[in-house]
Amino acid sequence: MADTKKTGATDAEGGAATVAFLGAGGLMGLPMARNLAQAGFAVRAWNRSREKAEPLSADGAVVVDDVAGAVTGADVVVTMLADTGAIIESLGGELDALADGAVWLQTSTVGIEGTQRLAELADGHGVTFVDAPVLGTRAPAESGDLVVLASGPDDVRERAEAVFDAVGKRTVWVGEAGAGSRLKLVANAWVMSIVEATAETVALAEGLDVDPQLFLDAVAGGPLDLPYLQAKGAMMLSGDFEPSMTLALAAKDTRLIDDAADDAGLDLPMLRTIRHRFGEGVADHGDKDMAATYLTSSPTGGTGAEDG
């Protein structure tokens, strides 16, 4: 397959494939859309707040005012929006405007029920649906190092991978549509567990009058160390919660995880507790990085952290 990070992809007529990107102004959507434009795709970028997507104009993307302007005649539509409701509200009435044979690549994290609703919506409009949530936050999105957890029909894999290769370093195909979202919930359960465990460990160190940095130094480079532990721990100690993934979105994902566990008849009390703890922090810290869950546990309320 051609290296789409360099050459882009082409449609059946030999021109640049047109990609409608919905959610092109978000923490993930902006860099993903930028990488697609830089890879040679003809990107039409839409975001509810247009000004957030405007920087993409410098990369050759066409920033549009409405969803219809993005999707009409497009070969591919990519959704990277907050939740199922936002996707249905923005795209639901416009699917018939896509080009014949168009593919919908759904990269948002919407859970099991949400994915089923979107797949049924696509089927009702004769649009091929690929469930493809991504692993990674803002930094890997910017560098094109996301991992795509793709699931959908075999006959569109090549077309889909041309897009995935432009935004990610690896695509893992895991079966029929829906399998990707189930795997994403499993992976996110691990991510959220690390973040909350780090937050409570730092808070415990503070409560016991131990410098939390000593803990991070003690495990550094050993079998108990993780790059994510060090990165999130550093945020907590510095009070710099510039978001890679906001606590509000992380709380949404923990709800999806806990609901999926309940539906599967599983009793997973740690994940249930993380759901509630993340939810507690949203009112005051929802727009900060998810590491700000630490502020809920800190015995000092995070004296070294931002107030706003």
Side-chain angles (χ1 to χ4, degrees):
M1 182 182 297
D3 183 353
T4 56
K5 289 182 184 291
K6 297 179 181 179
T7 64
T10 57
D11 62 19
E13 297 178 356
T18 300
V19 177
F21 199 107
L22 309 187
L27 286 175
M28 299 290 289
L30 181 67
M32 289 172 68
R34 174 173 287 132
N35 287 334
L36 286 167
Q38 292 180 349
F41 290 91
V43 175
R44 299 179 192 157
W46 175 84
N47 197 69
R48 190 179 303 276
S49 300
R50 177 185 171 124
E51 65 274 11
K52 293 183 178 181
E54 285 291 358
L56 294 169
S57 298
D59 300 289
V62 177
V63 180
V64 299
D65 291 321
D66 52 39
V67 173
V71 304
T72 300
D75 306 299
V76 177
V77 59
V78 179
T79 44
M80 175 51 83
L81 294 162
D83 53 36
T84 307
I87 296 168
I88 293 174
E89 180 184 352
S90 61
L91 182 60
E94 304 292 346
L95 282 169
D96 290 336
L98 290 164
D100 290 342
V103 178
W104 177 5
L105 308 181
Q106 206 304 100
T107 65
S108 318
T109 301
V110 297
I112 295 172
E113 180 183 357
T115 298
Q116 182 61 37
R117 288 175 63 192
L118 298 180
E120 291 172 354
L121 177 64
D123 185 62
H125 290 269
V127 175
T128 301
F129 181 79
V130 177
D131 167 38
V134 296
L135 285 181
T137 52
R138 183 175 62 179
E142 290 173 345
S143 60
D145 288 328
L146 297 169
V147 176
V148 182
L149 307 178
S151 55
D154 290 344
D155 59 359
V156 297
R157 282 193 180 188
E158 185 174 356
R159 293 174 61 197
E161 283 181 353
V163 174
F164 298 152
D165 287 349
V167 301
K169 65 179 178 181
R170 185 160 55 99
T171 298
V172 181
W173 286 93
V174 293
E176 296 182 356
S181 282
R182 293 195 297 273
L183 178 56
K184 179 64 186 295
L185 294 182
V186 172
N188 271 8
W190 174 239
V191 171
M192 308 309 175
S193 298
I194 294 170
V195 173
E196 184 58 32
T198 302
E200 295 189 24
T201 300
V202 170
L204 177 64
E206 292 178 329
L208 299 182
D209 198 24
V210 173
D211 181 354
Q213 186 62 55
L214 293 176
F215 159 68
L216 296 176
D217 292 344
V219 301
L224 299 179
D225 196 17
L226 288 170
Y228 215 62
L229 164 67
Q230 296 292 338
K232 295 304 181 185
M235 292 181 115
M236 295 169 194
L237 297 188
S238 70
D240 180 3
F241 295 106
E242 179 69 24
S244 292
M245 178 181 185
T246 66
L247 182 58
L249 285 177
K252 179 264 296 183
D253 286 0
T254 60
R255 291 195 299 272
L256 294 174
I257 293 165
D258 188 37
D259 289 346
D262 281 347
D263 290 344
L266 301 172
D267 181 20
L268 304 179
M270 182 186 73
L271 295 175
R272 187 178 310 118
T273 299
I274 293 172
R275 168 187 181 165
H276 293 304
R277 179 47 61 98
F278 277 28
E280 286 181 68
V282 168
D284 292 329
H285 311 296
D287 60 347
K288 297 183 178 76
D289 189 85
M290 60 181 166
T293 185
Y294 152 78
L295 298 175
T296 308
S297 298
S298 171
T300 63
T303 54
E306 296 177 334
D307 293 330

